[in-house]
Structure formats: C-alpha cells, structure tokens
Amino acid sequence: MSFQTSKQDGVVLVDVDGQLIVGNRQELKQKVLDELEAGERKFMIDFANTGYIDSSGLGVLVSLSKKIREQNGELRLANLNEDLRTLFELTKLDTLFNIADSREEALQGF
C-alpha cells in the first residue's frame, strides 16, 4: 500500500494503491495536509487501485474534506469500485463528497 502524489493543472492528485485502513490513514492525511499547508486548495484522490476502505479510512477522508473546505478548497474522489461506491451510499458520504467515475471526470470543472 502506498500513496503517490502528483500535480496536474493546479490539482493535487493522490493515487491510493492498496487498502486505506487504520495502519496507513495517517500517511495519507499527512501528505494532503502538507500540500494544504503549502497553499494547495484543489485535491483529487484516485481509488482506481483500492479495494477496501475501513471506518478509520472513511474518518480520515471526512476530516480532510472538512479541513480543505475550511481553507476554501475542494476534495474530489474518483474511481471508487462498486463495493466502495455502495459503502459511500450506505453511509451517506456520497452527499459529502464530489465522487466521479473517472479521473478525467473529477478534473473537469475544477
């Protein structure tokens, strides 16, 4: 499991490779917060290579969304598989996040 960050057209892209769980959630949080402190305001997390997010991972995403919004930024999510999409719907987190089917869709209109 790892997180790769890159930038495209002023958007910080974070690729999650593997699970987002209690054991690695702080690493993701710190990477995004470091970019936020550096002045970045647009974030997209790509879950194309992620099959599982536990409750602590969901909690980190909610926390990051709040912190980014407090700084007048935006966090978008992309490429959730069917199981993860269902998880977000059941927990009503789909109403909190802008969720796109693809990276390209997520980047449109940023």
Side-chain angles (χ1 to χ4, degrees):
M1 72 192 114
S2 66
F3 307 103
Q4 299 294 324
T5 59
S6 58
K7 292 180 185 169
Q8 180 178 336
D9 300 327
V11 179
V12 176
L13 308 173
V14 182
D15 291 294
V16 179
D17 188 12
Q19 302 174 341
L20 177 58
I21 56 175
V22 66
N24 64 1
R25 64 187 162 96
Q26 287 299 334
E27 181 183 350
L28 173 65
K29 185 175 184 177
Q30 197 57 54
K31 281 183 181 283
V32 172
L33 290 179
D34 287 348
E35 296 289 346
L36 187 64
E37 288 181 16
E40 300 294 338
R41 294 295 178 265
K42 298 176 182 177
F43 296 87
M44 194 272 294
I45 300 178
D46 191 333
F47 291 100
N49 297 312
T50 305
Y52 179 74
I53 301 173
D54 72 3
S55 59
S56 65
L58 292 175
V60 161
L61 293 175
V62 171
S63 173
L64 288 173
S65 176
K66 181 180 177 191
K67 289 183 183 301
I68 292 169
R69 286 183 187 185
E70 287 173 353
Q71 300 294 320
N72 297 315
E74 183 176 353
L75 171 62
R76 297 182 180 183
L77 309 180
N79 286 317
L80 294 169
N81 68 25
E82 190 174 325
D83 289 341
L84 292 176
R85 176 77 76 156
T86 299
L87 174 65
F88 276 74
E89 291 170 1
L90 290 174
T91 56
K92 305 292 186 197
L93 290 174
D94 60 327
T95 62
L96 177 66
F97 294 101
N98 181 328
I99 301 173
D101 290 333
S102 68
R103 178 183 289 239
E104 293 75 23
E105 183 184 327
L107 291 173
Q108 287 179 355
F110 229 136

